[in-house]
């Protein structure tokens, strides 16, 4: 007996246009955030270097996204980092944080302008106080892709970020990235951490604004 084919094309018909009301554990990230005491530990020729950095992160709601019946709500983000010593950009990163209400899956896409992208995944409850997502080099679903030079000189084998929400409304992150540096026998544990405080509110997503005007 042939099994009925799975419907991979039909989108959900009862989608709530208000992204901010459907972000699950990501809701507390929405808005603009800043901190001046982030810590980065990175590899240098003569040993690990620790830098203190200034960080601004902007998370803004996007319209609901559909992959056929799969429905995702999310935030587009931009991270910009400088240091007290220099005004030039120390780190720049863009991407999306996505939440699938039906399964509890959380996704983070990462893109940095040195030729690297990643898709990290994890699971979380809608009211979770902690979110953890990870990616590994070589995975075809939740993996890491880099330029030829980065793969040879500073190969990223794994990525993991833990986000913790605090009672005062702030939140912290800890990223652990395992690098294999050319000419060295053991991986380097590259780490970043920071605690951020709100400096701006989130804006409704475009579809929510349109629907509010129609219904107003």
């Amino acid at each position: 007996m042939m099994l009925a084919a799975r419907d991979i094309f039909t989108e959900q018909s009862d989608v709530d246009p208000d992204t901010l009301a459907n972000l699950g554990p990501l809701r507390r990230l929405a808005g603009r955030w800043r901190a001046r005491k982030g810590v980065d530990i990175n590899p240098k020729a003569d040993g690990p270097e620790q830098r203190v950095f200034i960080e601004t992160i902007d998370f803004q709601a996007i319209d609901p996204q559909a992959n056929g019946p799969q429905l995702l709500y999310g935030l587009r983000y931009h991270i910009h980092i400088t240091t007290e010593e220099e005004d030039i950009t120390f780190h720049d990163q863009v991407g999306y944080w996505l939440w699938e209400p039906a399964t509890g899956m959380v996704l983070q896409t990462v893109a940095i302008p040195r030729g690297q992208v990643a898709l990290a995944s994890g699971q979380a409850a809608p009211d979770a106080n902690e979110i953890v997502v990870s990616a590994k080099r070589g995975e075809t679903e939740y993996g890491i892709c880099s330029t030829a030079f980065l793969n040879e000189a500073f190969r990223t084998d794994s990525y993991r970020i833990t986000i913790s929400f605090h009672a005062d409304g702030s939140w912290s992150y800890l990223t652990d990235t395992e690098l294999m540096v050319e000419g060295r026998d053991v991986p380097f544990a590259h780490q970043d951490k920071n605690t951020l405080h709100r400096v701006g509110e989130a804006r409704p997503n475009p579809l929510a604004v349109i629907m509010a005007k129609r219904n107003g």
Side-chain angles (χ1 to χ4, degrees):
M1 179 183 297
M2 293 185 62
L3 298 176
R6 180 167 61 136
D7 182 359
I8 61 172
F9 298 101
T10 304
E11 297 179 3
Q12 296 184 32
S13 59
D14 58 346
V15 176
D16 187 345
D18 186 357
T19 292
L20 290 175
N22 292 276
L23 284 171
L26 301 180
R27 177 63 183 88
R28 284 181 280 182
L29 291 177
R32 188 172 177 84
W33 305 82
R34 188 167 294 144
R36 303 185 69 87
K37 296 182 180 180
V39 178
D40 171 80
I41 301 174
N42 61 84
K44 295 296 182 182
D46 55 355
E49 176 192 59
Q50 178 171 304
R51 297 285 299 273
V52 176
F53 58 82
I54 304 166
E55 181 170 21
T56 301
I57 309 181
D58 192 40
F59 296 91
Q60 296 299 336
I62 61 172
D63 288 341
Q65 303 294 307
N67 294 318
Q70 183 183 41
L71 178 64
L72 301 167
Y73 289 94
L75 298 166
R76 179 179 57 250
Y77 73 89
H78 177 214
I79 299 173
H80 185 251
I81 294 177
T82 60
T83 66
E84 294 285 0
E85 300 83 18
E86 299 176 303
D87 292 330
I88 62 173
T89 300
F90 179 66
H91 180 79
D92 197 276
Q93 180 178 319
V94 297
Y96 297 93
W97 278 94
L98 303 169
W99 161 251
E100 185 179 22
T103 65
M105 180 173 65
V106 180
L107 300 173
Q108 183 198 19
T109 71
V110 176
I112 59 176
R114 289 181 286 108
Q116 189 171 65
V117 295
L119 176 61
S121 70
Q123 294 286 135
D127 59 350
N129 289 317
E130 183 177 274
I131 300 170
V132 181
V133 297
S134 59
K136 291 184 178 181
R137 180 176 178 269
E139 295 289 340
T140 57
E141 292 182 346
Y142 307 110
I144 301 163
C145 185
S146 308
T147 64
F149 173 79
L150 287 179
N151 266 332
E152 294 169 2
F154 301 97
R155 191 183 75 214
T156 301
D157 285 338
S158 66
Y159 165 83
R160 175 186 173 97
I161 181 169
T162 301
I163 289 178
S164 302
F165 297 105
H166 308 304
D168 65 356
S170 66
W171 60 277
S172 302
Y173 71 81
L174 174 65
T175 62
D176 291 295
T177 307
E178 186 176 273
L179 302 176
M180 183 55 71
V181 180
E182 185 177 72
R184 301 183 183 178
D185 297 327
V186 296
F188 179 85
H190 178 213
Q191 191 174 86
D192 293 280
K193 58 184 178 180
N194 209 350
T195 298
L196 294 107
H197 299 271
R198 185 184 297 277
V199 294
E201 298 299 322
R203 301 185 298 270
N205 56 294
L207 181 58
V209 173
I210 291 170
M211 297 306 294
K213 289 180 179 179
R214 287 181 183 176
N215 297 329

